[in-house]
Amino acid sequence: MAYLSALLFAFSLTFSGIDVTYLSDPACDVRPDLMGSYFLGKDQVVLCVDNIEREQVDPDVVLHHELLHAVHENFGVKGSFFNEKQLAKRVSQQLDFEEVLSVVMSYPEEELDQELEVRVLSNQMSEWHMALVIIVSRLVELLRLALGS
């Protein structure tokens, strides 16, 4: 089953055109708290391997986190998929105060809801879920492009 999950996940990345780089980016050296980045419009994820290892963070969670930013872009969603009440409930239940404070202090206001949502969801999604969400979001993106919206 794990093999099929990994295969579907790899297919989803190929289908979506997202390039995942496991090499350190110069931004990783400047910001030791940075675990990864998704580059809007480039379909590229960079994982800060040294930072991930030093902080002992699960690289799959970081990858899922960055890929969820790609999903938002594919759907054309600037904020959160959740409404304010739903997001507040999930954040209060699943993120600790220090993490929420860190996000509030580090991100511009217009990016807060998406960042909090991505942090909540990235811990909950299996490779199967991520693969399906990536594939569906890519199909939605292609449809949006075809319709010119």
Side-chain angles (χ1 to χ4, degrees):
M1 190 65 123
Y3 175 76
L4 288 176
S5 176
L7 190 61
L8 180 62
F9 189 68
F11 169 77
S12 72
L13 292 176
T14 302
F15 176 74
S16 68
I18 297 173
D19 177 45
V20 178
T21 305
Y22 293 92
L23 302 172
S24 288
D25 185 83
C28 299
D29 298 331
V30 176
R31 289 195 46 209
D33 62 325
L34 185 66
M35 300 299 127
S37 294
Y38 172 70
F39 294 95
L40 291 172
K42 293 185 179 182
D43 288 332
Q44 182 182 23
V45 170
V46 173
L47 298 181
C48 300
V49 178
D50 294 339
N51 296 354
I52 290 169
E53 288 176 0
R54 186 186 60 257
E55 296 296 322
Q56 299 179 347
V57 176
D58 182 348
D60 289 340
V61 172
V62 177
L63 179 57
H64 290 180
H65 175 106
E66 300 307 335
L67 290 172
L68 285 166
H69 285 301
V71 168
H72 280 88
E73 181 181 27
N74 288 349
F75 274 98
V77 174
K78 301 282 186 216
S80 171
F81 287 106
F82 298 128
N83 67 39
E84 192 174 316
K85 186 177 179 180
Q86 292 169 324
L87 182 60
K89 180 178 179 182
R90 285 173 171 80
V91 167
S92 68
Q93 291 173 339
Q94 297 171 31
L95 300 180
D96 63 38
F97 178 75
E98 289 176 359
E99 184 171 5
V100 174
L101 185 60
S102 172
V103 170
V104 169
M105 299 295 288
S106 303
Y107 287 85
E109 186 176 345
E110 63 273 7
E111 295 176 17
L112 287 178
D113 287 350
Q114 185 179 118
E115 183 61 24
L116 290 168
E117 176 182 272
V118 165
R119 286 175 185 241
V120 166
L121 293 176
S122 61
N123 289 307
Q124 300 176 340
M125 298 184 79
S126 68
E127 277 190 335
W128 281 103
H129 293 118
M130 268 316 302
L132 294 174
V133 167
I134 291 166
I135 291 168
V136 168
S137 76
R138 178 63 175 150
L139 291 171
V140 168
E141 179 187 41
L142 293 172
L143 185 59
R144 286 179 49 240
L145 291 171
L147 296 175
S149 59

